Amino acid sequence: MTTRIFLAALMTGAALAACSEPVGDVDPAADETADAAMNDATDMAMADDGSCAALYEGRGSDNPPMPFSDEALANTDTSRPASCDTALAISGPDMAWRIQTLASDEFAGRAPSTPGGRAASQWIADEFARMGLEPAGDDGSYYQRVPLVEATLDTASAEFDIAVDGEAMGLEMGNDVVFWTKRLNGRQEIDASDLVFVGYGIVAPEYGWNDYEGLDMTGRTAVILVNDPGYATGDPELFNGNAMTYYGRWTYKYEEAMRQGAEGAIIIHQTEPASYGWHVVAGSWQGAQYDLETETANDRAALEGWITENVARRLFEATGLDFDALTAAAHERGFEAVPMEGAVLNAAFDTEINRLESRNVAGVVPGTQRPDEYVLYMAHWDHLGETVTLNSADGIYNGAVDNATGTAAVMEIAEMMAANPAERSALFVAVTLEESGLLGSAYFGENPLVPLNQIVGGINMDGMLPTGPTSDVVVIGYGSSELEDILADAAAEQDRTVAPDPNPAAGYFYRSDHISLAKLGVPMLYADGGSTHVEYGAAFGEEIDGAYRARAYHNFDDEFSYDWDFEALARDARLMGEVGQRIANSSDWPNWYEGNEFRALRDAMMNVGDGAAGESDTGENGEQ
């Protein structure tokens, strides 16, 4: 789930003391020494305590209290569990053990390039090795090193405010505004930059839409609505109706502001269009921010940020503008941007820049007949780390749902497939930096460990809610590829049906790692659970989703609970494992459906590629 990352503080524990330096500050020899020391400490600390089934006997419930309620949160546990023997088959206790381990305080929120993140990725690599997966990373290792830029705003000296007719609004960092810069060229100073309300800040020729029509944004700051006009109106003929397009993503808003030459870009936060509360913004965009270094970094707006809706309403009122009327006008084609007369942005701030490394973790189960053809499984192992600046018991963002669940499921599938190799290879990649804008998967896509035209299809697993057993399987981006047909057949054997995302307005299709591969043409499936409980119905699933978004998502309450239904989570993992097994034991090459935006990319990739896929008989679904 996409946002930014806190820099984790130093961790305690013997296993972590051996690797307490950021990856980017460790030379290869020292790196190997740290890995060996950590393995020794881990082996000593984790004696054999029997099966995971024994460890979790009596845990989990068919009728738990509502997840993320006060009652359920009273039964959370952030300690790292003892070691246990996992089964070769996917099981509820094994899922529980992996989730609890990844979400433990020992990994301190799994922020990339921190001791906690390093330890978490080390544990995943150790598990891949124990399962029998072969290394699939750089230089015969389980790691793909991901170079990154860490930028930390000096909040103590930072100056930021919006003034109207010379009177400052008195905005407070965290409570009213969150801001940063993507530039890497030192101190940023903005002096009296005129504010312009640009509606949704979208330029989309295919929709006949240009919110910047006739504007010169040089030296000016764009004030922007989140999401897109299709969501706002519900009009199925406008953009993609209620389903968010990429134009609705905050990442696009800042990219377009850069293309327009804006000096600043500020998005107005509104909970429903954003699909998360202000606490997510305040908790995710403060502290260390990570990015891949790009040639265009210094072309970005000097300041990017968010303001609360309350601040926006005050600003509009102070400039004589009607917020609700202008928001409604921005829904209509032909909207013209409105200068916010008398309102200017003033800011001056420094950012500490460090060049570090994180890592993707990759292992492979070689195919028995066609080892050069791959089924890909992905999940992001990272989360938000920890902070001492916000109110919580320990300051740790444990990230149990996001994404200890998806990572645990991928590891369970890997163990199952390692014990039962298929005709094609299965590639398992736990990626980093998802919370910083899908950077780990983007790096993997740009620097693939195997040729992209040899990846038959991929499955991404992210944020499996503990809803319990469901009668459906929700597909994010429903109607995209022939992978959904394979899923539907496998789901039928569990007496389940495939359903579209019940909340398409949230734009989840553009908010997880599968999109990094999809936009390069690789068919990807993002589906890892359902929303309609077999006994309590759809309303129960909606209540759980709502409670998670309101209370736990990117917040301190996203913690492992003994009350979760682990067998239901394992059922979902088994389903996605079955989908991969069917693809891996087939000679077909599933494609995007005709008319899908990524179909042409895949067709071009397969026609011009000289890898195994381009030369093989691709079967009925993938006939070239």
PDB file of all heavy atoms in Angstrom, residues 41-60:
ATOM      1  N   ALA A  41      23.783 -15.637  15.683  1.00  0.00           N
ATOM      2  CA  ALA A  41      22.962 -15.170  16.801  1.00  0.00           C
ATOM      3  C   ALA A  41      21.545 -15.712  16.700  1.00  0.00           C
ATOM      4  O   ALA A  41      20.945 -16.098  17.694  1.00  0.00           O
ATOM      5  CB  ALA A  41      22.948 -13.638  16.830  1.00  0.00           C
ATOM      6  N   THR A  42      21.027 -15.745  15.472  1.00  0.00           N
ATOM      7  CA  THR A  42      19.669 -16.249  15.272  1.00  0.00           C
ATOM      8  C   THR A  42      19.585 -17.730  15.595  1.00  0.00           C
ATOM      9  O   THR A  42      18.656 -18.198  16.245  1.00  0.00           O
ATOM     10  CB  THR A  42      19.215 -15.987  13.833  1.00  0.00           C
ATOM     11  OG1 THR A  42      19.273 -14.595  13.578  1.00  0.00           O
ATOM     12  CG2 THR A  42      17.786 -16.476  13.618  1.00  0.00           C
ATOM     13  N   ASP A  43      20.597 -18.511  15.157  1.00  0.00           N
ATOM     14  CA  ASP A  43      20.590 -19.950  15.430  1.00  0.00           C
ATOM     15  C   ASP A  43      20.622 -20.207  16.936  1.00  0.00           C
ATOM     16  O   ASP A  43      19.941 -21.090  17.448  1.00  0.00           O
ATOM     17  CB  ASP A  43      21.806 -20.602  14.758  1.00  0.00           C
ATOM     18  CG  ASP A  43      21.655 -20.653  13.240  1.00  0.00           C
ATOM     19  OD1 ASP A  43      20.515 -20.491  12.770  1.00  0.00           O
ATOM     20  OD2 ASP A  43      22.677 -20.843  12.556  1.00  0.00           O
ATOM     21  N   MET A  44      21.429 -19.411  17.666  1.00  0.00           N
ATOM     22  CA  MET A  44      21.513 -19.612  19.104  1.00  0.00           C
ATOM     23  C   MET A  44      20.215 -19.238  19.804  1.00  0.00           C
ATOM     24  O   MET A  44      19.820 -19.853  20.787  1.00  0.00           O
ATOM     25  CB  MET A  44      22.663 -18.757  19.668  1.00  0.00           C
ATOM     26  CG  MET A  44      24.045 -19.284  19.296  1.00  0.00           C
ATOM     27  SD  MET A  44      25.362 -18.388  20.156  1.00  0.00           S
ATOM     28  CE  MET A  44      25.195 -16.768  19.442  1.00  0.00           C
ATOM     29  N   ALA A  45      19.548 -18.196  19.273  1.00  0.00           N
ATOM     30  CA  ALA A  45      18.373 -17.677  19.955  1.00  0.00           C
ATOM     31  C   ALA A  45      17.114 -18.471  19.673  1.00  0.00           C
ATOM     32  O   ALA A  45      16.124 -18.341  20.374  1.00  0.00           O
ATOM     33  CB  ALA A  45      18.152 -16.222  19.561  1.00  0.00           C
ATOM     34  N   MET A  46      17.145 -19.306  18.610  1.00  0.00           N
ATOM     35  CA  MET A  46      15.907 -19.941  18.164  1.00  0.00           C
ATOM     36  C   MET A  46      16.054 -21.457  18.212  1.00  0.00           C
ATOM     37  O   MET A  46      16.377 -22.097  17.202  1.00  0.00           O
ATOM     38  CB  MET A  46      15.553 -19.461  16.750  1.00  0.00           C
ATOM     39  CG  MET A  46      15.310 -17.957  16.677  1.00  0.00           C
ATOM     40  SD  MET A  46      14.991 -17.375  14.999  1.00  0.00           S
ATOM     41  CE  MET A  46      13.448 -18.211  14.641  1.00  0.00           C
ATOM     42  N   ALA A  47      15.883 -22.019  19.355  1.00  0.00           N
ATOM     43  CA  ALA A  47      15.945 -23.463  19.497  1.00  0.00           C
ATOM     44  C   ALA A  47      14.695 -24.096  18.910  1.00  0.00           C
ATOM     45  O   ALA A  47      13.669 -23.450  18.738  1.00  0.00           O
ATOM     46  CB  ALA A  47      16.083 -23.831  20.971  1.00  0.00           C
ATOM     47  N   ASP A  48      14.773 -25.393  18.630  1.00  0.00           N
ATOM     48  CA  ASP A  48      13.650 -26.107  18.021  1.00  0.00           C
ATOM     49  C   ASP A  48      12.559 -26.316  19.069  1.00  0.00           C
ATOM     50  O   ASP A  48      12.748 -26.989  20.066  1.00  0.00           O
ATOM     51  CB  ASP A  48      14.140 -27.448  17.489  1.00  0.00           C
ATOM     52  CG  ASP A  48      13.025 -28.223  16.806  1.00  0.00           C
ATOM     53  OD1 ASP A  48      11.937 -27.636  16.637  1.00  0.00           O
ATOM     54  OD2 ASP A  48      13.251 -29.386  16.445  1.00  0.00           O
ATOM     55  N   ASP A  49      11.402 -25.716  18.811  1.00  0.00           N
ATOM     56  CA  ASP A  49      10.281 -25.846  19.742  1.00  0.00           C
ATOM     57  C   ASP A  49       9.147 -26.681  19.153  1.00  0.00           C
ATOM     58  O   ASP A  49       8.010 -26.580  19.590  1.00  0.00           O
ATOM     59  CB  ASP A  49       9.740 -24.455  20.112  1.00  0.00           C
ATOM     60  CG  ASP A  49      10.727 -23.664  20.943  1.00  0.00           C
ATOM     61  OD1 ASP A  49      11.347 -24.247  21.846  1.00  0.00           O
ATOM     62  OD2 ASP A  49      10.892 -22.468  20.653  1.00  0.00           O
ATOM     63  N   GLY A  50       9.423 -27.491  18.158  1.00  0.00           N
ATOM     64  CA  GLY A  50       8.397 -28.333  17.569  1.00  0.00           C
ATOM     65  C   GLY A  50       7.656 -27.650  16.439  1.00  0.00           C
ATOM     66  O   GLY A  50       8.079 -26.645  15.894  1.00  0.00           O
ATOM     67  N   SER A  51       6.519 -28.185  16.081  1.00  0.00           N
ATOM     68  CA  SER A  51       5.771 -27.704  14.940  1.00  0.00           C
ATOM     69  C   SER A  51       5.099 -26.371  15.238  1.00  0.00           C
ATOM     70  O   SER A  51       4.813 -26.042  16.392  1.00  0.00           O
ATOM     71  CB  SER A  51       4.715 -28.720  14.529  1.00  0.00           C
ATOM     72  OG  SER A  51       3.698 -28.779  15.505  1.00  0.00           O
ATOM     73  N   CYS A  52       4.827 -25.630  14.171  1.00  0.00           N
ATOM     74  CA  CYS A  52       4.077 -24.383  14.327  1.00  0.00           C
ATOM     75  C   CYS A  52       2.652 -24.675  14.788  1.00  0.00           C
ATOM     76  O   CYS A  52       2.041 -23.860  15.490  1.00  0.00           O
ATOM     77  CB  CYS A  52       4.066 -23.599  13.012  1.00  0.00           C
ATOM     78  SG  CYS A  52       5.712 -23.075  12.483  1.00  0.00           S
ATOM     79  N   ALA A  53       2.131 -25.850  14.387  1.00  0.00           N
ATOM     80  CA  ALA A  53       0.790 -26.224  14.830  1.00  0.00           C
ATOM     81  C   ALA A  53       0.732 -26.312  16.349  1.00  0.00           C
ATOM     82  O   ALA A  53      -0.239 -25.879  16.983  1.00  0.00           O
ATOM     83  CB  ALA A  53       0.387 -27.560  14.199  1.00  0.00           C
ATOM     84  N   ALA A  54       1.800 -26.847  16.959  1.00  0.00           N
ATOM     85  CA  ALA A  54       1.844 -26.931  18.420  1.00  0.00           C
ATOM     86  C   ALA A  54       1.975 -25.548  19.048  1.00  0.00           C
ATOM     87  O   ALA A  54       1.363 -25.252  20.075  1.00  0.00           O
ATOM     88  CB  ALA A  54       3.010 -27.817  18.850  1.00  0.00           C
ATOM     89  N   LEU A  55       2.768 -24.686  18.393  1.00  0.00           N
ATOM     90  CA  LEU A  55       2.988 -23.342  18.922  1.00  0.00           C
ATOM     91  C   LEU A  55       1.705 -22.522  18.947  1.00  0.00           C
ATOM     92  O   LEU A  55       1.482 -21.726  19.862  1.00  0.00           O
ATOM     93  CB  LEU A  55       4.050 -22.622  18.080  1.00  0.00           C
ATOM     94  CG  LEU A  55       4.517 -21.254  18.581  1.00  0.00           C
ATOM     95  CD1 LEU A  55       5.232 -21.376  19.910  1.00  0.00           C
ATOM     96  CD2 LEU A  55       5.453 -20.611  17.545  1.00  0.00           C
ATOM     97  N   TYR A  56       0.849 -22.753  17.948  1.00  0.00           N
ATOM     98  CA  TYR A  56      -0.381 -21.959  17.847  1.00  0.00           C
ATOM     99  C   TYR A  56      -1.643 -22.761  18.175  1.00  0.00           C
ATOM    100  O   TYR A  56      -2.739 -22.359  17.823  1.00  0.00           O
ATOM    101  CB  TYR A  56      -0.492 -21.344  16.442  1.00  0.00           C
ATOM    102  CG  TYR A  56       0.523 -20.252  16.234  1.00  0.00           C
ATOM    103  CD1 TYR A  56       1.758 -20.542  15.694  1.00  0.00           C
ATOM    104  CD2 TYR A  56       0.266 -18.952  16.627  1.00  0.00           C
ATOM    105  CE1 TYR A  56       2.721 -19.556  15.532  1.00  0.00           C
ATOM    106  CE2 TYR A  56       1.199 -17.952  16.465  1.00  0.00           C
ATOM    107  CZ  TYR A  56       2.433 -18.267  15.922  1.00  0.00           C
ATOM    108  OH  TYR A  56       3.378 -17.278  15.764  1.00  0.00           O
ATOM    109  N   GLU A  57      -1.459 -23.885  18.843  1.00  0.00           N
ATOM    110  CA  GLU A  57      -2.615 -24.698  19.225  1.00  0.00           C
ATOM    111  C   GLU A  57      -3.579 -23.876  20.087  1.00  0.00           C
ATOM    112  O   GLU A  57      -3.180 -23.244  21.068  1.00  0.00           O
ATOM    113  CB  GLU A  57      -2.155 -25.936  19.993  1.00  0.00           C
ATOM    114  CG  GLU A  57      -3.287 -26.895  20.339  1.00  0.00           C
ATOM    115  CD  GLU A  57      -2.789 -28.151  21.032  1.00  0.00           C
ATOM    116  OE1 GLU A  57      -1.576 -28.230  21.290  1.00  0.00           O
ATOM    117  OE2 GLU A  57      -3.619 -29.030  21.315  1.00  0.00           O
ATOM    118  N   GLY A  58      -4.833 -23.877  19.698  1.00  0.00           N
ATOM    119  CA  GLY A  58      -5.836 -23.126  20.432  1.00  0.00           C
ATOM    120  C   GLY A  58      -5.904 -21.662  20.067  1.00  0.00           C
ATOM    121  O   GLY A  58      -6.749 -20.928  20.592  1.00  0.00           O
ATOM    122  N   ARG A  59      -4.998 -21.222  19.175  1.00  0.00           N
ATOM    123  CA  ARG A  59      -5.010 -19.825  18.742  1.00  0.00           C
ATOM    124  C   ARG A  59      -5.868 -19.684  17.493  1.00  0.00           C
ATOM    125  O   ARG A  59      -6.130 -20.650  16.780  1.00  0.00           O
ATOM    126  CB  ARG A  59      -3.588 -19.356  18.433  1.00  0.00           C
ATOM    127  CG  ARG A  59      -2.636 -19.462  19.604  1.00  0.00           C
ATOM    128  CD  ARG A  59      -2.971 -18.464  20.708  1.00  0.00           C
ATOM    129  NE  ARG A  59      -1.899 -18.339  21.674  1.00  0.00           N
ATOM    130  CZ  ARG A  59      -1.929 -17.534  22.711  1.00  0.00           C
ATOM    131  NH1 ARG A  59      -2.994 -16.784  22.951  1.00  0.00           N
ATOM    132  NH2 ARG A  59      -0.912 -17.468  23.551  1.00  0.00           N
ATOM    133  N   GLY A  60      -6.284 -18.463  17.216  1.00  0.00           N
ATOM    134  CA  GLY A  60      -7.159 -18.249  16.068  1.00  0.00           C
ATOM    135  C   GLY A  60      -8.575 -18.638  16.436  1.00  0.00           C
ATOM    136  O   GLY A  60      -8.814 -19.396  17.378  1.00  0.00           O
TER     137      GLY A  60
END
